[in-house]
Amino acid sequence: MINMKYIKLFILSSLALLLGACGEELNNPTVMTPSHSVVRVSQVGNDNVININQHIDFADVSQGIESRQWIFPDSNVTVDGNPQDAQVRGTFHKEGKWEVTLSQVFQNNAFVGSETVARETNKIDTTFVVTVMPAVKLNSIKANLLLADGTLGDEIPMAPETPTEIPFGSILRFTYDATGSPSKIQGTLHGAELVAESPSNNTFDVKYVTLDKVYSFAPVFVRPKPYSADSLLVLDLVKCVRSDEPLLLENVTADADKKINLVYSRGLNANSVKASDYSVSITTAKGETLTPAVTGAYVNPANASYLVLEIGDELVYSNDVVKVTYTGNSLESQDAAIAPQFTNEMLVGSEEDLLKASDYDYSYENSAMTHKGADPAWLGNVVPEILEQSTEQKSDGNHSLKVSIPAATDSRAVMPSAIQTYLNGALHKFGFTENENNKLRLEFDIYIENNGGDRHPNATFDSNIRFHLSNKGSDWQEMAHGFAKAEEGKWLTFSNVIDVKNVIAEYNLIMKIVNTGSEPATLYIDNIRLKRYYPRP
């Protein structure tokens, strides 16, 4: 006789097993590993530019990899690690440009980097260009007196048996040849003043201002990235003697302490200074006029051609209009030349220019630079019809950047192009360091050959130009400068203040030009200034 109780138990047990199996299957979905190519390079922040015998680490952090192969040059490179490993190191022993390729095979068609659409292949080759720079080495140097008209005078021996006598207040122009592309002059000039440097022309100018002083010369020729330097020492190069030239006021400026400085053509007699001979007026940005008393005046002990004026507790700010008057007759140079009187000489600020400090090609003079339009695409996707360094118009140096943006059309009334500058294929950048307010004043010169004509009927705003600081995200506050109604055929200057909040160590300038006119807009851009800005509180 069949026991129905056991049959029921058997059926229930079988059902439980069946349901348990189904539940286990549903709770363990198949995990899909994406095929995504991502590679990290240790020197990418320096655009893979390194010194001889320096290494770079390469790391493949991709997902969905089946196999990989790192391919290095056959010679002049030492490779640490297996070419099939995720991470390898290459040490490069010879200058030049070298290619390192990563060949990857994925499980599926692969995404690359930040792309949102997979490639139509599961095989990805990625090539990195490594630039190996030679060490900085000074090959030759010469010095000439720089005459008042900008031409070169007598050559000064660089290996003198006795110091060469020069009129004090003289400027020497040093012209050099160096390997390794140094871009800064540092070192010790023994009290002389570095007044100009032009790495693109391999020149720098030094001013000698103290009577009867013998100057040695110890410059250091520096390439900041990757760092390399070479130095020179010339003992007793020149001796400053009396000058037959008149004593001239060259500039009125402010120092880092926001005090007024009068810059003269040569060293001053500190005993001839009288504070009562000077008066100062300040017009603030709000239109208020201040007339602070000059409470002190003295010759800068570090540079005898600078006369410092103190105006009590008052300071000079970037947005002040400052005028200085001298009514005395006692101020004289160290060789007794009398300083002329002057009235309402305007102060010109001396705030740090970030572009010059970083050797940024602010004047479009460097032939190694290239310029790319419509990049980044999300800022503007119209490639300029003309984008080139030009000698046709210039406000500074020998070149400017000529840009021509196409005319608006019925189907597209806004023609934007974002333009970036590259050095040796890498974005051209300048450095930034935080200070008390992180404000910058941007100025640039613009020559408008064609302002684009009348606004296209389908456009809702006028043609304009602006400069963005890269990587600022939603913090951008750069002003759009309209040029649709600007005067053609002459140099103009546009300016605006930038308040930097999302601070990073380096930026690259993105120039955005938008044409909404019925004709092509053709412009020349030159002499970009990006200076620290200290407005009056």
Side-chain angles (χ1 to χ4, degrees):
M1 180 176 179
I2 299 174
N3 190 327
M4 297 300 295
K5 179 180 178 181
Y6 289 115
I7 293 175
K8 289 180 181 178
L9 287 174
F10 175 79
I11 293 173
L12 289 172
S13 299
S14 300
L15 182 61
L17 288 171
L18 178 61
L19 290 174
C22 291
E24 183 178 349
E25 182 177 345
L26 291 173
N27 289 327
N28 288 275
T30 301
V31 177
M32 299 294 294
T33 301
S35 292
H36 185 189
S37 177
V38 180
V39 187
R40 302 284 186 249
V41 183
S42 62
Q43 290 290 338
V44 68
N46 196 34
D47 304 314
N48 298 333
V49 181
I50 60 174
N51 286 317
I52 290 178
N53 296 324
Q54 187 175 355
H55 71 263
I56 293 185
D57 292 324
F58 300 86
D60 181 4
V61 294
S62 306
Q63 293 178 291
I65 281 280
E66 285 191 349
S67 65
R68 70 174 64 82
Q69 180 76 30
W70 295 96
I71 304 170
F72 284 82
D74 293 333
S75 60
N76 304 310
V77 181
T78 300
V79 180
D80 295 323
N82 189 313
Q84 286 82 42
D85 287 347
Q87 184 166 335
V88 293
R89 169 176 291 183
T91 303
F92 295 79
H93 306 297
K94 186 177 180 180
E95 67 181 88
K97 290 184 180 294
W98 308 96
E99 291 187 349
V100 177
T101 299
L102 173 61
S103 293
Q104 299 166 297
V105 178
F106 291 87
Q107 297 169 5
N108 303 288
N109 288 354
F111 296 85
V112 177
S114 59
E115 294 178 358
T116 57
V117 178
R119 304 281 180 92
E120 295 181 356
T121 179
N122 68 330
K123 297 180 179 180
I124 303 296
D125 286 349
T126 306
T127 298
F128 305 91
V129 177
V130 177
T131 302
V132 182
M133 297 292 291
V136 170
K137 180 183 178 182
L138 180 66
N139 300 319
S140 64
I141 187 169
K142 68 174 185 176
N144 293 81
L145 281 168
L146 183 62
L147 304 180
D149 62 1
T151 60
L152 298 182
D154 294 339
E155 186 169 342
I156 306 299
M158 293 301 297
E161 295 182 2
T162 60
T164 301
E165 294 186 345
I166 61 172
F168 86 117
S170 294
I171 295 176
L172 297 188
R173 172 158 292 174
F174 293 89
T175 305
Y176 61 92
D177 176 72
T179 302
S181 303
S183 59
K184 288 184 177 296
I185 304 300
Q186 297 176 351
T188 302
L189 300 178
H190 297 273
E193 181 183 5
L194 179 67
V195 293
E197 53 183 319
S198 177
S200 60
N201 294 316
N202 288 0
T203 64
F204 61 96
D205 300 343
V206 179
K207 185 178 180 181
Y208 298 86
V209 298
T210 302
L211 181 63
D212 294 330
K213 181 173 180 177
V214 175
Y215 288 88
S216 294
F217 181 64
V220 179
F221 299 79
V222 177
R223 182 183 67 224
K225 287 187 177 182
Y227 183 84
S228 183
D230 194 14
S231 59
L232 173 70
L233 174 62
V234 181
L235 295 174
D236 301 340
L237 175 65
V238 294
K239 178 182 180 179
C240 287
V241 299
R242 295 175 62 89
S243 173
D244 295 328
E245 297 294 324
L247 177 63
L248 301 176
L249 177 70
E250 293 185 337
N251 194 17
V252 178
T253 187
D255 59 25
D257 295 325
K258 301 181 177 65
K259 294 182 178 180
I260 298 171
N261 282 226
L262 309 181
V263 183
Y264 281 89
S265 56
R266 59 185 186 268
L268 301 171
N269 176 0
N271 296 322
S272 69
V273 180
K274 294 180 181 179
S276 58
D277 291 339
Y278 299 91
S279 60
V280 173
S281 71
I282 301 174
T283 303
T284 70
K286 296 179 180 179
E288 181 183 5
T289 299
L290 309 176
T291 56
V294 178
T295 56
Y298 59 91
V299 174
N300 187 333
N303 189 322
S305 65
Y306 280 67
L307 179 64
V308 182
L309 300 183
E310 295 181 334
I311 48 178
D313 295 331
E314 191 60 76
L315 299 173
V316 173
Y317 294 90
S318 300
N319 57 346
D320 289 336
V321 176
V322 181
K323 297 178 181 179
V324 181
T325 296
Y326 170 63
T327 56
N329 54 19
S330 64
L331 184 67
E332 64 180 17
S333 66
Q334 293 170 347
D335 59 353
I338 300 298
Q341 297 180 349
F342 59 83
T343 302
N344 291 333
E345 282 290 334
M346 193 82 70
L347 182 145
V348 178
S350 61
E351 293 87 351
E352 178 192 23
D353 189 320
L354 301 188
L355 302 185
K356 289 185 177 181
S358 296
D359 193 29
Y360 189 92
D361 188 25
Y362 62 90
S363 192
Y364 300 101
E365 300 297 321
N366 192 337
S367 60
M369 300 296 174
T370 57
H371 308 279
K372 184 176 179 181
D375 182 22
W378 60 272
L379 266 180
N381 52 10
V382 175
V383 178
E385 293 176 340
I386 299 175
L387 180 58
E388 62 186 17
Q389 287 177 232
S390 171
T391 58
E392 296 174 49
Q393 304 292 341
K394 58 263 189 187
S395 70
D396 178 80
N398 299 314
H399 298 84
S400 64
L401 186 69
K402 183 178 182 180
V403 187
S404 182
I405 305 297
T409 65
D410 291 343
S411 60
R412 186 166 190 181
V414 176
M415 292 290 187
S417 186
I419 298 166
Q420 296 191 95
T421 301
Y422 294 79
L423 174 60
N424 297 322
L427 276 173
H428 191 33
K429 299 178 181 180
F430 63 91
F432 183 85
T433 304
E434 287 194 87
N435 68 358
E436 65 265 34
N437 70 354
N438 288 340
K439 292 182 183 294
L440 302 174
R441 184 174 185 86
L442 170 73
E443 296 182 317
F444 62 96
D445 299 337
I446 181 170
Y447 183 98
I448 303 171
E449 185 174 290
N450 190 323
N451 61 21
D454 294 335
R455 185 204 292 178
H456 192 279
N458 295 343
T460 59
F461 59 89
D462 285 339
S463 303
N464 62 77
I465 179 173
R466 72 182 77 193
F467 280 88
H468 293 298
L469 303 190
S470 63
N471 299 317
K472 287 186 65 185
S474 60
D475 186 38
W476 286 359
Q477 301 174 48
E478 288 80 344
M479 180 184 296
H481 299 280
F483 61 81
K485 298 179 177 64
E487 186 175 354
E488 297 175 337
K490 64 182 295 186
W491 281 102
L492 307 170
T493 297
F494 289 162
S495 67
N496 61 276
V497 175
I498 300 171
D499 190 1
V500 182
K501 293 182 179 178
N502 294 337
V503 176
I504 58 176
E506 288 185 317
Y507 293 99
N508 65 285
L509 282 180
I510 303 174
M511 178 169 60
K512 183 179 180 182
I513 301 175
V514 180
N515 185 22
T516 59
S518 56
E519 303 171 12
T522 302
L523 318 168
Y524 298 83
I525 312 299
D526 203 4
N527 195 23
I528 308 169
R529 288 90 75 194
L530 192 61
K531 296 183 178 182
R532 298 286 186 179
Y533 182 67
Y534 306 100
R536 179 173 287 274

